[in-house]
Amino acid sequence: MSESIPTISLKQDREVVVSAIRSACLNHGFFQITDSDVPPSLSDRLMNPMQTIFGLLAPVKLSLKSNGQMLISSTMELESLCRLIHYKTPERDGGDEKNGKDEHDDIGASRHSDWGLLTVLLQDNVGRLQVLDLKTQTYIPVPPTPGAFVINCGDLLSRFTNGVYTSAKHMVVAPPPGVDRYSIALFNNGNPGHTVDVLPLGPEWKEWVQGQQGAAPQAKRLYEPITAGAYFEMNWKDSVAGQKQSPAREA
């Protein structure tokens, strides 16, 4: 079983970085980047106030479907969405009589894929994010790495590549009692009016995929064209109907 998703240093030659990212998108759908131009002090300035922010919200006693609390900032409709996320172990109120736990207590965010193009995540040192390994079909941890950003492909990017790039399922395991988990997720969701259709794959691309996977990419079209906005609307309706995990609980 793979120990974790790839970690890619941006200090390497451009060709090496591009090749590593392409392979990660193909084989995992997730990777971490290090040595970016974002100074650690800026990441700290973003993460450090979160305990205070969510502490101020506590008296409000927000009613949420998940164990997490979210502050949401969006720009240009669906194009970009930033969430400040707080997970904590829920208070016990009965549940399983044997151990005092409800069956969902160990899950901070249940198994899901992201609906958009690309997600960038800054997580604290608690971790608890897990990603589905495609080869073993088991969930592997994404360990907190100082100065790293976690990147993952979303459903729309997978549709653009006819399933070649993976929109991997992932989840967050609830932290242990007394430990809070904080993260900041930036969801890049695309222009809601843009039609998402399978991009033409040239011979070089097909040869590269075959070299990576030992088989040529799927020739048959897997997805019909759909606008980004319509795709989100469809998934929201499924979510409301209880058929699919809402993106408000991601990462």
Side-chain angles (χ1 to χ4, degrees):
M1 181 175 67
S2 301
E3 292 184 359
S4 188
I5 63 173
T7 298
I8 303 168
S9 170
L10 298 185
K11 284 187 176 180
Q12 304 173 94
D13 291 340
R14 183 179 185 277
E15 292 77 10
V16 175
V17 172
V18 170
S19 178
I21 290 176
R22 290 175 69 186
S23 295
C25 291
L26 175 73
N27 297 310
H28 301 274
F30 266 79
F31 57 95
Q32 295 195 84
I33 59 169
T34 59
D35 303 314
S36 72
D37 290 335
V38 179
S41 59
L42 178 57
S43 297
D44 291 341
R45 286 170 57 193
L46 291 171
M47 295 294 291
N48 290 341
M50 290 183 64
Q51 183 174 0
T52 300
I53 292 172
F54 284 106
L56 293 173
L57 292 177
V60 181
K61 296 183 178 179
L62 297 178
S63 176
L64 299 170
K65 292 183 179 180
S66 73
N67 297 339
Q69 296 176 348
M70 280 71 65
L71 288 180
I72 302 174
S73 174
S74 62
T75 60
M76 300 178 68
E77 298 185 38
L78 290 176
E79 291 191 8
S80 181
L81 185 66
C82 182
R83 287 192 172 98
L84 311 184
I85 307 175
H86 171 215
Y87 291 106
K88 64 185 301 182
T89 302
E91 296 180 3
R92 310 301 186 200
D93 56 356
D96 190 329
E97 294 182 358
K98 292 183 179 180
N99 55 24
K101 294 173 62 177
D102 183 86
E103 61 176 331
H104 300 297
D105 282 354
D106 291 333
I107 302 297
S110 58
R111 298 171 179 87
H112 64 277
S113 62
D114 292 353
W115 300 347
L117 286 166
L118 203 69
T119 302
V120 181
L121 176 74
L122 176 64
Q123 62 173 341
D124 63 11
N125 60 6
V126 174
R128 315 295 284 183
L129 174 64
Q130 296 188 1
V131 178
L132 180 66
D133 183 90
L134 301 180
K135 293 182 179 179
T136 64
Q137 290 298 299
T138 58
Y139 280 82
I140 58 177
V142 180
T145 302
F149 292 91
V150 181
I151 314 292
N152 68 276
C153 303
D155 293 353
L156 294 186
L157 185 55
S158 184
R159 294 177 75 98
F160 270 126
T161 61
N162 203 36
V164 172
Y165 280 179
T166 301
S167 180
K169 290 189 179 297
H170 50 286
M171 65 179 180
V172 176
V173 179
V179 177
D180 291 19
R181 177 190 185 267
Y182 299 95
S183 63
I184 302 175
L186 176 64
F187 300 93
N188 298 285
N189 295 325
N191 187 327
H194 186 82
T195 298
V196 179
D197 198 1
V198 174
L199 297 173
L201 304 180
E204 181 181 352
W205 171 274
K206 295 177 181 178
E207 182 179 349
W208 174 78
V209 173
Q210 185 162 1
Q212 288 279 315
Q213 296 189 326
Q218 176 67 253
K220 180 182 178 182
R221 174 190 288 270
L222 299 179
Y223 308 104
E224 292 301 318
I226 188 173
T227 65
Y231 183 76
F232 269 74
E233 182 179 0
M234 176 182 69
N235 280 281
W236 272 117
K237 289 180 179 178
D238 287 346
S239 176
V240 171
Q243 298 172 6
K244 189 167 183 176
Q245 171 72 37
S246 167
R249 297 173 62 182
E250 295 173 357

